[in-house]
Amino acid sequence: VPSGRIPEPPAHTPAASVANVTLALALAPANTRQSTHCEALLRPVLRTLDKGERLTLRGSNATVVYLPDRYPASAPKRIAPATFVALAGPLRLRIAPARSSANPGTTHCR
């Protein structure tokens, strides 16, 4: 606002927004790679990360959806190959290979 004040948030935040924000804040880039128990990501998989657990993606992009128990799922978030750490948990995630004709194949590691 022109006065420099931060406006009040809306009285009601849509439930899907809660999942989107949770995914954005709770799954963060990590400094170290996870390299054990790797397998090709040929179709969507469900994976639950507890706080501090890591997820490594290799090869090509994937989409991640957060599946909370009490709210609708988040929108799919496209992520590039990297290692991520759960800053909160449990995070129930659906991880899928990104659809692209240039997709050489994605690997995910526990």
Side-chain angles (χ1 to χ4, degrees), residues 75-92:
K77 180 178 179 180
R78 189 179 188 102
I79 57 175
T83 297
F84 301 89
V85 62
L87 300 179
L91 288 179
R92 198 167 117 225

Side-chain angles (χ1 to χ4, degrees), residues 2-59:
S3 69
R5 290 182 305 110
I6 298 174
E8 291 295 320
H12 181 271
T13 302
S17 294
V18 172
N20 292 336
V21 170
T22 300
L23 179 59
L25 295 175
L27 191 64
N31 294 329
T32 58
R33 293 180 72 156
Q34 188 76 14
S35 59
T36 59
H37 307 288
C38 299
E39 53 190 65
L41 187 60
L42 302 175
R43 61 187 156 279
V45 297
L46 292 178
R47 174 111 185 261
T48 300
L49 297 179
D50 289 321
K51 182 178 178 180
E53 282 191 295
R54 288 174 165 53
L55 164 70
T56 296
L57 296 173
R58 295 182 183 163

